[in-house]
Amino acid sequence: MISGPQLPFPANEPEWSFAPGTDAAKQLQQALARREIVDVPTVIGGKRLYSDDVLEVRAPHDHQRVVARIHRPNEAQVKEAIANARSVSRDWADLSLASRCAILHRAAEIIATRYRVDINAATMLGQSKTIEEAEPDSGCELIDFFRFNAYNAQKVHAEQPLSVPSAANRTDWRPLEGFVYAVSPFNFTAIGGNLSTAPAVMGNTVLWKPSDKSAWANYLCYEALEEAGLPAGVINFVPGEAEMTTRVAMASQELAGIHFTGSSAVFNSLWKQVAGNVEHYRSIPRLVGETGGKDFVLAHASANADAVSIALVRAAFGYQGQKCSAASRAYIPKSLWPEVSRQLRERLAELQVGDVADPKTFMGAVISEASHAKLTNAIAAAKADSGVELISGGRTWADPGYFVEPTVFRVQDPKHLLMQEELFGPVLAVYVYDDSAWDETLTLIDGTSRYALTGSIFSNERAALHQAEAVLNFAAGNLYLNDKPTGAMVGQQPFGGGRASGTNDKAGSFINLMRWSSPRVVKENYAPVRDWKFQL
Ligand code: NAD
């Protein structure tokens, strides 16, 4: 039941302007220029642990520059973190929902003001985001997740069964029995904040393993929560080696759920481990995973070429194509292709790749040496393929950072691997279809990739939009009409996809929060029956 104030539907946090010359831009430049290396500890039960097992984090666009040192926990410490999470779980669940929401609101205010510049700078340096990409993530979306999760938790708690004069019924929105293991990806600082706090606001205690690459920005998020009054041990920040930390979490009988965002391969492996171990757990763990994408942009012959080419530039190359929602396959009709390809070439030639501290930069570096090598190999293979035409870009270089030019290939075979597999980089594959083959193209899109996360349809004909929406019913969890497939806003486009893209539990919405509760329904009878015989 709800106690405390009813919160209004939140507004999305407005973006700050970091235009050159503004105070915000000056503060940001200072933060980016700071040379001290930040120590990121493990935090168990509120205690900071600095270990000998230190992992250096380097700026991907300047890999000689060490920006943070992660102090990784050992196996015994991960076990201790789990024990800590369990030891405070009763107190945390007993705290009123209003108090748990208040902590999220306070943390949102702290990040919106005092932490704003520093968390953006950490996201820019650790994850190689420009400020145009960092601010909507570590600035706005993180704050939105906190405010909307608080609002939506109240909405869930308000959902109550019918009562009658002789009996009252109520749903007690209990947390899960055990701890939740939150495993977050590198590409959005905000996602780590959501994966850890969504279960927490519903009364769960959490073991949070961030990605190594985002651990610095995620640690600032943890610190804001702590400053906002999050009790020690409710979220234990454990930036441990992935396989070891997961093995220890999986081995605990108390594992009640996994809140994961990352690649499909890792999520599938977690699912298999839990399934293989299912009898060992006290409760059947809840598995929530939002994973990869091979997101499409489809243009109909009636579409506007400018709108299509601009959407492709932004959605395929924003943050170097390292968004789960990034456009990575496009279907363009023959009649539009000359104009769309001309505009793509022209715009991509202007687009600056380099240091994210430079306000003119559109794309920083890809996240790691491994990602750079994978993209370099994929581009080389495509260049050597006679069925593939290079339309733009195609260069990669590894000094001073892991850079990849925005690259567009046109494929002859619509089922080419470039149209199927997630590369997670700035590579867009285009298939040009005959204008008359619209119906077949819809079926093709639906059957080409195993992912189903986001997709866009551009058309100025209502009937074409209607038909495409119907045929592509299961091809995307987030579908955009005449808009790019990236940039979902919390509260406006609850996010998640089906098929190999995950469990589609819609991050930032009440649907996700319901997964972190094991409700108990209580009936209180005001008039116990006094006769065992039925009345005829
Ligand atoms: P990743 O799968 O490599 O890593 C995600 C998390 O899992 C990290 O914390 C990592 O340390 C951990 N991990 C890695 N290997 C592991 C293992 N063997 N066992 C246990 N944990 C392991 O993903 P990433 O590179 O950080 O992120 C990119 C991926 O995330 C892309 O596939 C992208 O599409 C996806 N993503 C999806 C969404 C979505 O909402 N659908 C959002 C963001 C990113």
Side-chain angles (χ1 to χ4, degrees):
M1 299 302 253
I2 299 193
S3 56
Q6 297 290 290
L7 304 166
F9 191 75
N12 291 108
E13 172 68 11
E15 281 183 31
W16 278 13
S17 166
F18 287 88
T22 56
D23 274 356
K26 283 180 205 145
Q27 287 171 36
L28 183 68
Q29 286 303 333
Q30 279 166 11
L32 292 172
R34 261 182 237 137
R35 285 283 157 170
E36 82 254 30
I37 299 171
V38 177
D39 282 297
V40 176
T42 292
V43 190
I44 300 175
K47 278 201 241 75
R48 265 89 181 136
L49 304 177
Y50 295 90
S51 74
D52 296 336
D53 181 6
V54 169
L55 184 77
E56 287 180 343
V57 180
R58 291 159 184 267
H61 48 275
D62 180 5
H63 47 61
Q64 293 305 307
R65 180 173 172 190
V66 177
V67 293
R69 272 190 299 251
I70 305 175
H71 294 259
R72 306 205 288 191
N74 60 28
E75 227 173 288
Q77 288 163 333
V78 177
K79 284 186 186 148
E80 192 189 326
I82 294 170
N84 242 285
R86 290 301 289 139
S87 70
V88 301
S89 56
R90 179 52 69 96
D91 286 348
W92 179 240
D94 283 350
L95 204 63
S96 69
L97 175 64
S99 297
R100 298 200 297 263
C101 291
I103 292 168
L104 286 191
H105 280 287
R106 287 185 66 184
E109 292 306 310
I110 290 169
I111 293 165
T113 53
R114 284 183 290 116
Y115 277 48
R116 184 90 163 225
V117 168
D118 283 348
I119 201 164
N120 275 334
T123 300
M124 292 171 73
L125 291 173
Q127 292 136 266
S128 202
K129 285 200 172 186
T130 59
I131 187 61
E132 285 79 13
E133 296 290 345
E135 167 66 1
D137 167 18
S138 39
C140 302
E141 191 177 35
L142 178 58
I143 294 165
D144 286 349
F145 274 133
F146 287 176
R147 293 186 181 140
F148 279 86
N149 279 337
Y151 173 83
N152 284 321
Q154 289 206 324
K155 184 168 158 173
V156 170
H157 277 237
E159 182 61 37
Q160 292 295 327
L162 200 68
S163 290
V164 292
S166 60
N169 299 308
R170 72 189 136 89
T171 299
D172 173 6
W173 290 96
R174 301 175 305 184
L176 307 180
E177 196 178 8
F179 72 96
V180 174
Y181 183 38
V183 185
S184 56
F186 79 83
N187 66 337
F188 280 88
T189 298
I191 292 179
N194 178 47
L195 297 189
S196 53
T197 59
V201 76
M202 294 301 286
N204 296 278
T205 56
V206 177
L207 185 72
W208 176 12
K209 197 211 82 58
S211 162
D212 300 336
K213 316 286 177 195
S214 59
W216 174 18
N218 284 152
Y219 177 59
L220 291 176
C221 169
Y222 173 80
E223 287 206 305
L225 286 161
E226 200 182 60
E227 216 182 299
L230 185 77
V234 170
I235 294 176
N236 294 279
F237 185 78
V238 182
E241 192 279 320
E243 285 185 26
M244 179 280 286
T245 311
T246 301
R247 186 166 28 80
V248 176
M250 294 283 190
S252 169
Q253 283 187 325
E254 309 283 327
L255 178 76
I258 298 180
H259 201 191
F260 175 85
T261 299
S263 60
S264 302
V266 172
F267 185 56
N268 292 350
S269 83
L270 299 182
W271 192 292
K272 284 182 204 154
Q273 288 174 60
V274 169
N277 220 3
V278 72
E279 275 132 12
H280 165 73
Y281 301 117
R282 179 135 49 138
S283 319
I284 294 175
R286 298 273 170 95
L287 304 178
V288 173
E290 300 305 336
T291 61
K294 187 71 192 174
D295 309 297
F296 63 85
V297 169
L298 163 65
H300 182 254
S302 64
N304 175 284
D306 283 302
V308 173
S309 70
I310 288 169
L312 287 174
V313 170
R314 288 197 159 208
F317 304 115
Y319 191 36
Q320 298 82 267
Q322 298 174 122
K323 297 180 190 179
C324 50
S325 55
S328 56
R329 54 181 173 135
Y331 299 80
I332 312 292
K334 235 178 206 154
S335 58
L336 280 192
W337 178 238
E339 184 55 19
V340 169
S341 58
R342 187 190 65 75
Q343 290 191 19
L344 275 178
R345 281 196 184 98
E346 217 174 272
R347 296 197 163 111
L348 295 179
E350 274 175 36
L351 184 157
Q352 183 169 312
V353 180
D355 187 342
V356 292
D358 179 346
K360 292 192 290 303
T361 296
F362 185 88
M363 275 177 38
V366 299
I367 194 68
S368 63
E369 191 176 2
S371 163
H372 190 260
K374 180 179 173 186
L375 289 158
T376 302
N377 290 339
I379 289 172
K383 282 180 174 168
D385 187 332
S386 59
V388 177
E389 181 192 355
L390 179 67
I391 302 297
S392 185
R395 283 188 323 130
T396 70
W397 61 102
D399 272 308
Y402 304 117
F403 295 107
V404 178
E405 251 187 331
T407 299
V408 182
F409 289 113
R410 176 180 171 181
V411 295
Q412 294 303 329
D413 174 6
K415 297 257 172 139
H416 195 284
L417 267 189
L418 285 172
M419 301 295 277
Q420 293 189 38
E421 297 293 329
E422 182 185 55
L423 280 172
F424 221 56
V427 178
L428 171 68
V430 181
Y431 176 67
V432 179
Y433 68 92
D434 271 332
D435 291 36
S436 60
W438 168 252
D439 292 2
E440 297 88 310
T441 304
L442 296 178
T443 316
L444 185 67
I445 294 173
D446 191 44
T448 295
S449 168
R450 61 201 183 101
Y451 296 108
L453 191 53
T454 73
S456 290
I457 307 161
F458 281 82
S459 170
N460 287 320
E461 265 179 30
R462 201 71 234 168
L465 289 177
H466 182 73
Q467 180 194 1
E469 202 180 319
V471 178
L472 297 171
N473 190 22
F474 284 103
N478 285 69
L479 184 69
Y480 295 81
L481 306 181
N482 290 313
D483 200 1
K484 65 183 170 59
T486 53
M489 303 272 284
V490 179
Q492 293 191 40
Q493 296 92 24
F495 194 77
R499 296 185 180 161
S501 292
T503 54
N504 198 12
D505 287 295
K506 297 298 183 210
S509 79
F510 73 93
I511 300 166
N512 177 284
L513 295 183
M514 290 181 77
R515 301 295 311 274
W516 308 119
S517 175
S518 177
R520 175 176 69 165
V521 172
V522 179
K523 173 184 175 185
E524 182 173 353
N525 190 358
Y526 295 144
V529 176
R530 287 171 175 267
D531 189 350
W532 65 271
K533 287 184 210 139
F534 290 109
Q535 301 295 319
L536 294 178

